[in-house]
Amino acid sequence: MTDEEWGQEHARSLGTYLAGAGLEEVGRRGRPISDDDFLILFNAHHEDIEFVIPSIPGDPWLGLLDTWFPTGSGERVQWRAGMRYLLRGRSLALFTRVAAQP
């Protein structure tokens, strides 16, 4: 994302990918530390926004949380690259997948 894109006042949504394998730390025993991958979708707009699940190599994503649902969790289904996810107005969705083993 460029500075210009970040500064757009009409932007109301954001998707963030957190790569668990991207950690550059080692544990007390000298082994690399890794975590699962996470995908977070934010919709600050009052209208629904459709996100496309990104094409990032790895297993399918598992939906964990969608704050639009009264219980906070939607359907726990797998989401693959290119699938469309409808994120309701003023809500957040969280997806995860198990980290690839080195």
Side-chain angles (χ1 to χ4, degrees):
M1 175 178 272
T2 66
D3 288 341
E4 182 180 334
E5 290 169 327
W6 184 256
Q8 295 291 326
E9 64 183 53
H10 67 274
R12 304 281 187 263
S13 62
L14 178 69
T16 303
Y17 168 58
L18 303 173
L23 299 172
E24 297 180 358
E25 298 180 33
V26 293
R28 286 185 254 170
R29 297 183 182 185
R31 295 182 185 155
I33 295 174
S34 66
D35 196 2
D36 294 344
D37 293 337
F38 293 93
L39 178 64
I40 309 170
L41 308 178
F42 301 92
N43 181 4
H45 195 44
H46 67 274
E47 294 180 6
D48 300 347
I49 295 178
E50 190 174 70
F51 283 85
V52 176
I53 301 299
S55 179
I56 300 170
D59 291 337
W61 295 95
L62 177 63
L64 292 180
L65 171 78
D66 187 327
T67 61
W68 183 80
F69 291 95
T71 61
S73 62
E75 298 178 60
R76 296 182 71 93
V77 298
Q78 291 187 350
W79 295 86
R80 297 188 181 281
M83 293 177 77
R84 298 181 181 281
Y85 188 83
L86 183 65
L87 187 58
R88 302 298 180 155
R90 296 189 175 108
S91 60
L92 171 148
L94 175 65
F95 303 83
T96 190
R97 64 182 178 190
V98 176
Q101 299 301 315

